[in-house]
């Protein structure tokens, strides 16, 4: 699990794309203090497993599911990526629960400066919008953010200068794609409600005192 609080921005130094997989090597500085083989690193919101590393680079394999649902399939050498190590049991939980399992991509359709904040409007497919609520949580390229407004096909987030200057949002432009992960709890709630054997009905709510 991750928190969506980005530790640093890394750079892709090598990537090899195959028919249904990729291998990626990323250069960074801060995340190597306690890194071990098999550790998880959120890379633009995608949970990757470290298969090899040095004091300044780590390598990971990317499976087809991650390539098809995220922007990593179109990544190239030199591209910047948001990085976050998995949260430790005694760590501070500064963002929200982020699994690193991308639901799909969205597209930046507007960027607007407003005093010390920057508003990003993200367009997304209805399958993703169905799980987004106003003031709810959303992870954009692995960044924990709060939904400020939404329509049936897009949502807005207001981002402070610190987040912009310490993530790859600083380099994003209108038309760029971003990785999106919905709030995990929304998907569990939907499954419980739609499960025929455990369907929530007025009768069942009354039965339990609601």
């Amino acid at each position: 699990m991750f928190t969506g609080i980005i530790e640093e921005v890394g750079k892709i130094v090598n990537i090899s794309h195959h028919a249904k997989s990729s291998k990626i090597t990323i250069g960074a500085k801060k995340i190597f203090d306690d890194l071990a083989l098999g550790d998880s690193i959120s890379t633009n919101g995608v949970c990757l497993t470290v298969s090899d590393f040095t004091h300044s680079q780590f390598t990971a394999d990317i499976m087809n599911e991650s390539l098809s649902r995220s922007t990593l399939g179109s990544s190239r050498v030199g591209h910047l990526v948001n990085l976050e190590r998995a949260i430790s049991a005694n760590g501070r939980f500064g963002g929200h629960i982020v699994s690193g399992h991308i639901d799909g991509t969205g597209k930046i359709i507007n960027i607007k400066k407003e005093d010390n904040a920057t508003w990003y409007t993200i367009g997304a497919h209805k399958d993703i919008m169905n799980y987004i609520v106003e003031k709810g949580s959303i992870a954009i390229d692995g960044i924990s953010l709060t939904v400020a407004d939404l329509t049936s096909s897009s949502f807005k987030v207001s981002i402070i200068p610190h987040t912009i200057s310490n993530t790859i949002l600083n380099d994003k432009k209108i038309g760029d794609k971003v990785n999106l992960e919905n709030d995990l709890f929304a998907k569990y709630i939907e499954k419980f409600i739609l499960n025929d054997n455990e369907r929530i009905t007025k009768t069942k709510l009354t039965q339990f005192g609601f």
Side-chain angles (χ1 to χ4, degrees):
M1 288 294 183
F2 307 94
T3 69
I5 305 300
I6 305 304
E7 292 188 81
E8 68 170 312
V9 173
K11 180 182 287 187
I12 299 174
V13 296
N14 190 48
I15 187 165
S16 54
H17 293 297
H18 309 289
K20 293 187 177 181
S21 67
S22 293
K23 185 181 289 288
I24 192 169
T25 300
I26 296 170
K29 295 179 180 179
K30 299 179 182 178
I31 62 170
F32 299 98
D33 293 345
D34 57 356
L35 196 64
L37 289 178
D39 280 359
S40 297
I41 297 180
S42 172
T43 305
N44 277 1
V46 182
C47 179
L48 298 182
T49 301
V50 176
S51 60
D52 192 18
F53 70 97
T54 67
H55 67 283
S56 61
Q57 298 179 356
F58 75 91
T59 298
D61 294 294
I62 312 173
M63 60 184 180
N64 188 50
E65 170 71 6
S66 298
L67 293 173
S68 63
R69 285 183 178 261
S70 75
T71 59
L72 288 184
S74 59
S75 294
R76 298 290 181 268
V77 172
H79 284 185
L80 301 179
V81 290
N82 293 325
L83 300 175
E84 181 195 354
R85 287 169 291 183
I87 186 172
S88 59
N90 62 346
R92 288 190 174 91
F93 206 99
H96 74 278
I97 295 176
V98 178
S99 69
H101 303 152
I102 301 301
D103 291 296
T105 60
K107 181 181 289 187
I108 298 174
I109 58 179
N110 192 41
I111 301 174
K112 182 181 179 181
K113 294 278 291 183
E114 184 181 83
D115 198 10
N116 68 336
T118 303
W119 287 86
Y120 286 75
T121 304
I122 313 293
H125 190 272
K126 65 178 182 179
D127 290 344
I128 291 177
M129 292 302 304
N130 285 342
Y131 299 103
I132 298 178
V133 296
E134 187 174 348
K135 304 307 178 186
S137 299
I138 187 79
I140 301 178
D141 280 341
I143 308 165
S144 174
L145 296 168
T146 300
V147 177
D149 192 17
L150 75 158
T151 68
S152 61
S153 60
S154 67
F155 65 93
K156 294 181 180 181
V157 290
S158 180
I159 303 177
I160 61 174
H162 175 83
T163 300
I164 292 177
S165 61
N166 287 278
T167 69
I168 64 171
L169 280 177
N170 196 41
D171 298 310
K172 292 291 184 180
K173 306 179 295 298
I174 292 174
D176 285 350
K177 288 185 176 181
V178 291
N179 294 325
L180 300 175
E181 181 187 334
N182 292 116
D183 189 345
L184 187 64
F185 294 116
K187 290 176 276 189
Y188 276 117
I189 291 169
E190 180 188 54
K191 184 174 178 64
F192 292 147
I193 290 175
L194 296 181
N195 187 316
D196 287 335
N197 296 324
E198 297 293 337
R199 185 179 294 276
I200 296 176
T201 63
K202 184 177 180 180
T203 301
K204 183 164 289 188
L205 289 172
T206 302
Q207 178 184 347
F208 289 97
F210 291 95

